[in-house]
Each structure stands twice: as C-alpha cells, then as structure tokens.
C-alpha cells in the first residue's frame, strides 16, 4: 500500500490513525500549496483533487477519511479503532458524524473562506461572507460537545476514530485562528490526553 498525503487536517487524521494501528505505510507527499492535487496525474488517483488517497496492493485507490480508515480497521483489526461489535461500530460512526457536521465541516470552510481564501478561491466556490458564520457554527458545535462529553474519550471509555478526527481538526483550528475555547474544560482535558499519545508526534 501507499498513502498519498499532504498538509492539512484530513491527511493528518489518516496518518494519526495509521500510527495508532502501528502500521508502516509508505507516503507520497502531494504539493497541495502548489496545486499538484488539482492536476494530472493526481486527478487520476482522486478525481475530486483532494488528499489523502490510499493506494491498495492491487493498484486501486480509496479516498475519503472514513473509507480509508474503515478499510484499514477491517484489514488490521487490532487495535480496533472503530469497534469490535456492531454496537461499538455504530456508536463510533454516530459520533464521527456528529463531529464532522458540528465541528469539522464548518471549521474547515470557515478557514477556506477567510484565512485560506488566497489558496482556495481559484480551486472551489468560496463564500467569504459566510466565513464568520461558519466559524460560529463550529464554536456552537464544540459547546454542544462539551455539554455532552462524558469522557475520557469521545465515545466514552474507548479511544476511537472519532477522537482522531476531532483532534486532527482542533489541532489545525488552533493554527488558523480557531482555537479550542479555554472555557470548554472537558474538551481541554481531552485534548491534553490525546496530545500524550505517540500517534500525535508520528502524524505531525
């Protein structure tokens, strides 16, 4: 296998997931800032022009965080980062969906339409007037998560892909003007616990 990766939170999530699995998958760096991901031959790997992409042993490719991570979790089941049972997997996917919709998507687009506008304005439809509102939606999502966080991890007592996803985006947000609010003490404690994991340094 081979991982096509770059800067940004989406590749970071998959790299951290791979590190949590204890896997060693060769990486190919794609020049995102230079637009390599929006040109051939990369568009043959992922027509959407996004990273990451996982090249399988048969030469085919998987894209999208969930598809890549679910494939790796099924192929290499230990340690399980989605779940061992249908119930565990369903709960992880439930929280993945919540994290994605409430935090990751509005946070990412808030960045793309504001601080990231020079990079993205010629690559996708950008709505600069929506940036502040999207950032506010992401903050609302974090407040909701704080209110519903039982810990020590997002899905309770299991460290899962939901933790990896949320960390990847919150760490990114802290670098682009959307830090985790200090008053969200449960999430601040969670963030500190995740930072202690070796996969954080391995995926940086």
């Amino acid at each position: 296998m081979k991982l096509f990766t770059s800067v940004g939170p989406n590749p970071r999530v998959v790299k951290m997931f791979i590190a949590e699995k204890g896997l060693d998958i060769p990486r190919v760096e794609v020049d995102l800032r230079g637009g390599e991901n929006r040109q051939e031959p990369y568009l043959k790997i992922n027509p959407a022009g996004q990273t990451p992409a996982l090249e399988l042993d048969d030469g085919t490719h998987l894209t999208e965080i969930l598809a890549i991570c679910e494939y790796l979790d099924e192929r290499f089941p230990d340690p399980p980062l989605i779940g061992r049972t249908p119930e565990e997997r369903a709960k992880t996917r439930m929280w993945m969906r919540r994290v994605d919709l409430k935090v990751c998507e509005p946070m990412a687009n808030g960045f793309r339409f504001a601080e990231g506008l020079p990079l993205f304005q010629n690559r996708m439809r950008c709505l600069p007037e929506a940036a502040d509102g999207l950032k506010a939606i992401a903050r609302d999502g974090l407040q909701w998560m704080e209110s519903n966080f039982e810990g020590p991890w997002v899905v309770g007592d299991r460290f899962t892909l939901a933790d990896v996803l949320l960390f990847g985006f919150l760490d990114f947000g802290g670098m682009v003007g959307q830090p985790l609010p200090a008053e969200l003490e449960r999430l601040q404690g969670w963030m500190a616990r995740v930072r202690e994991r070796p996969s954080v340094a391995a995926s940086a």
Side-chain angles (χ1 to χ4, degrees):
M1 290 187 292
K2 187 187 306 179
L3 181 70
F4 291 84
T5 185
S6 67
V7 296
N10 287 303
R12 175 79 183 281
V13 169
V14 174
K15 287 186 286 188
M16 187 171 167
F17 186 88
I18 288 171
E20 285 284 341
K21 288 298 228 177
L23 301 174
D24 183 13
I25 299 177
R27 301 177 186 176
V28 177
E29 291 293 328
V30 178
D31 183 6
L32 191 71
R33 294 186 180 92
E36 182 183 358
N37 57 309
R38 300 282 172 163
Q39 306 169 30
E40 300 292 352
Y42 187 76
L43 287 176
K44 285 188 170 59
I45 295 171
N46 183 2
Q50 299 169 330
T51 57
L54 181 67
E55 183 172 295
L56 306 185
D57 294 339
D58 63 1
T60 60
H61 298 93
L62 288 177
T63 63
E64 308 300 337
I65 289 173
L66 186 58
I68 292 172
C69 293
E70 287 209 348
Y71 170 79
L72 292 174
D73 210 49
E74 290 182 14
R75 184 166 174 186
F76 307 98
D78 289 309
L81 292 178
I82 296 176
R84 291 191 184 277
T85 67
E87 292 78 13
E88 287 185 351
R89 290 191 290 272
K91 287 181 180 178
T92 302
R93 290 169 181 140
M94 175 181 73
W95 278 102
M96 284 271 305
R97 183 68 169 161
R98 289 169 172 173
V99 167
D100 206 13
L101 291 178
K102 291 182 177 294
V103 180
C104 301
E105 281 301 316
M107 176 181 283
N109 281 323
F111 164 73
R112 292 180 186 120
F113 299 168
E115 295 86 354
L117 188 62
L119 179 63
F120 288 97
Q121 62 187 348
N122 295 321
R123 303 183 183 191
M124 61 182 291
R125 183 182 295 278
C126 291
L127 303 172
E129 66 277 12
D132 288 344
L134 287 164
K135 292 177 182 180
I137 289 171
R139 290 194 298 272
D140 290 346
L142 287 170
Q143 182 61 66
W144 181 88
M145 291 205 62
E146 174 81 3
S147 299
N148 290 277
F149 190 86
E150 297 181 357
W153 308 113
V154 173
V155 193
D157 60 358
R158 291 185 296 120
F159 184 86
T160 69
L161 177 54
D163 295 285
V164 178
L165 177 65
L166 183 60
F167 178 84
F169 275 81
L170 289 188
D171 196 49
F172 173 76
M175 295 184 284
V176 296
Q178 297 184 68
L180 178 64
E183 65 270 20
L184 301 185
E185 295 180 357
R186 293 176 180 175
L187 289 178
Q188 286 286 355
W190 165 85
M191 195 84 172
R193 287 191 294 278
V194 179
R195 285 195 187 280
E196 295 175 353
R197 301 181 76 88
S199 61
V200 171
S203 60

